[in-house]
């Protein structure tokens, strides 16, 4: 069952069954402090068409339209063979954030809108936050939220691990990213 949830959850990158751009009633947010500057982390996660470089479940990404410009459409091929289509709504390299919505997904979630943002924190580090709002479709809200949590946490964890300093975990794997969940929309 966990593998099924992981495969469904990777759709948290876009996770919607429809093309509505309204914020959903459910929300999930994953955030972690990354051991590098926002400018450096942005080079890794800031390309709308670059999820295949840093999310462990995305095998390829192609874009139609001007990459990193509102209106660009990307198609993500996941490791399980499923395909997701997302539209970029807002992009700001200066503010190190972008927001996108889903247009096509085989998963039981709609009204999915997500934002990835980076903020400077103490000691030259970065707070990476990936938040999403969505609605469950014919599935329990807790299960839908768990699917999104697995997808977002998987991406944030990969970024965290990529920038972890040698010896920081004494040979152990990096800690799981912190996550906050609620049933109210993310502002």
């Amino acid at each position: 069952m966990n593998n099924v949830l992981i495969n469904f959850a990777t759709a948290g990158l876009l996770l919607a069954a429809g093309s509505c751009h309204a914020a959903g009633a459910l929300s999930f947010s994953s955030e972690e402090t990354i051991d590098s500057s926002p400018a450096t982390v942005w080079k890794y996660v800031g390309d709308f068409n670059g999820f295949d470089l840093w999310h462990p479940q995305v095998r390829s990404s192609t874009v139609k339209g001007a990459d990193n410009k509102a209106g660009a459409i990307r198609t993500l091929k996941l490791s399980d063979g499923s395909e997701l289509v997302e539209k970029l709504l807002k992009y700001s390299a200066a503010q190190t954030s972008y927001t996108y919505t889903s247009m096509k997904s085989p998963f039981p979630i709609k009204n999915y809108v997500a934002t990835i943002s980076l903020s400077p924190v103490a000691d030259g580090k970065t707070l990476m936050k990936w938040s999403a709002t969505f609605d469950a479709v014919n599935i329990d809200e807790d299960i839908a939220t768990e699917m999104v949590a697995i997808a977002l946490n998987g991406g944030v964890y990969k970024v965290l691990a990529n920038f972890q300093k040698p010896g920081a975990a004494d040979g152990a794997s990096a800690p799981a990213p912190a996550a906050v969940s609620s049933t109210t929309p993310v502002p």
Side-chain angles (χ1 to χ4, degrees):
M1 180 70 175
N2 195 27
N3 283 340
V4 171
L5 279 176
I6 289 172
N7 285 338
F8 279 140
T10 55
L13 303 171
L14 124 82
L15 282 178
S19 61
C20 181
H21 301 305
L26 302 172
S27 65
F28 183 83
S29 181
S30 181
E31 59 185 55
E32 191 63 48
T33 300
I34 309 297
D35 200 10
S36 196
S37 71
T40 300
V41 178
W42 186 249
K43 289 177 186 175
Y44 190 55
V45 302
D47 183 4
F48 180 63
N49 191 34
F51 263 48
D52 56 334
L53 301 176
W54 62 270
H55 198 287
Q57 295 299 318
V58 177
R59 296 297 163 237
S60 69
S61 179
T62 56
V63 71
K64 290 181 183 176
D67 193 18
N68 299 331
K69 299 285 185 202
I73 307 289
R74 74 175 168 202
T75 301
L76 303 174
K77 301 265 185 184
L78 302 180
S79 58
D80 68 357
S82 59
E83 183 177 281
L84 309 169
V85 180
E86 302 175 321
K87 181 177 183 178
L88 185 60
L89 299 176
K90 292 188 259 182
Y91 185 92
S92 175
Q95 295 177 349
T96 56
S97 71
Y98 59 92
T99 300
Y100 62 94
T101 188
S102 63
M103 297 177 62
K104 176 187 167 198
S105 173
F107 302 100
I109 295 174
K110 67 177 183 176
N111 299 329
Y112 180 85
V113 177
T115 299
I116 293 176
S117 63
L118 307 178
S119 304
V121 293
D123 301 324
K125 297 180 181 182
T126 299
L127 178 66
M128 178 179 178
K129 183 175 182 181
W130 191 358
S131 57
T133 60
F134 53 93
D135 291 314
V137 177
N138 300 323
I139 189 171
D140 182 85
E141 290 179 351
D142 290 338
I143 293 172
T145 300
E146 183 176 349
M147 290 168 47
V148 173
I150 291 169
L152 274 58
N153 285 339
V156 171
Y157 174 79
K158 176 69 172 172
V159 175
L160 175 67
N162 185 69
F163 287 99
Q164 187 173 5
K165 301 290 185 204
D170 294 85
S173 61
V180 179
S181 176
S182 70
T183 56
T184 57
V186 175

